[in-house]
Amino acid sequence: INHCILRTFVWMGRILAIDYGLKRSGLAVSDPLQIIANGLDTISSPELITFLKDYFQREEVELIVIGMPKDLSLRDTHGTKPVKQIIEKIKSNFPDINIIELDERFTSKMASRAMVDMGLKKKDRQNKANIDRIAATILLQEYLSSVK
């Protein structure tokens, strides 16, 4: 006798993570089941809203996770104000998408370490676009792990 088991999955929107910087922003996205974080892209920060408009037309995103720069004492850094400003722009352009701010301390260092562990050549490890995209992926994976 052949038994078939039908599994039902709840389809969810993706979660998008942003490692925002004044020049570049690293982006990562979850799978639709919100289990795995994948690097998406690194884009010029002034183009972020345009990129998001295009991406949101192609993919359902239900949440944005954005890294909030803080120092070791959890005080604001020089990067905090620009991140707060881009959050306001995102909210005004996409009012239906929730935004969660996450502590991004150490994500760039973790990204650099991950690139060494992956065996990337020194030239690739020095490419800041790679660091930003991997930092966004680490940020997103930390979020996904925290909500399981």
Side-chain angles (χ1 to χ4, degrees):
I1 297 175
N2 209 354
H3 296 279
C4 293
I5 299 172
L6 178 63
R7 295 179 67 182
T8 304
F9 292 101
V10 177
W11 189 266
M12 300 179 264
R14 296 177 187 274
I15 299 173
L16 179 84
I18 303 171
D19 179 41
Y20 185 80
L22 289 175
K23 294 180 183 177
R24 288 173 315 281
S25 293
L27 304 171
V29 67
S30 74
D31 63 300
L33 296 175
Q34 301 178 357
I35 298 170
I36 299 170
N38 295 296
L40 179 62
D41 207 345
T42 301
I43 61 164
S44 171
S45 291
E47 298 170 7
L48 179 61
I49 298 299
T50 302
F51 178 92
L52 294 177
K53 285 179 181 177
D54 180 57
Y55 188 76
F56 294 163
Q57 286 185 357
R58 292 180 282 127
E59 296 289 342
E60 183 181 340
V61 174
E62 71 177 46
L63 178 66
I64 295 172
V65 174
I66 190 163
M68 185 57 68
K70 298 287 183 178
D71 68 14
L72 293 177
S73 300
L74 295 175
R75 292 183 302 245
D76 289 355
T77 70
H78 67 282
T80 305
K81 185 177 179 182
V83 171
K84 288 182 178 181
Q85 290 171 336
I86 197 64
I87 287 172
E88 289 309 311
K89 283 185 183 177
I90 293 169
K91 285 180 179 178
S92 67
N93 281 277
F94 313 103
D96 296 334
I97 299 178
N98 291 323
I99 299 173
I100 292 178
E101 300 170 14
L102 284 185
D103 179 359
E104 71 167 21
R105 291 177 300 161
F106 310 118
T107 55
S108 292
K109 288 180 183 164
M110 291 169 67
S112 295
R113 182 73 227 164
M115 290 191 296
V116 169
D117 293 345
M118 289 187 293
L120 292 180
K121 294 178 182 171
K122 186 174 183 178
K123 181 180 175 187
D124 293 328
R125 293 193 314 260
Q126 291 174 332
N127 181 339
K128 292 187 185 294
N130 287 338
I131 295 170
D132 294 337
R133 186 176 58 254
I134 293 171
T137 306
I138 290 168
L139 190 72
L140 180 54
Q141 193 62 57
E142 286 179 352
Y143 173 77
L144 294 171
S145 297
S146 74
V147 295
K148 285 185 180 177

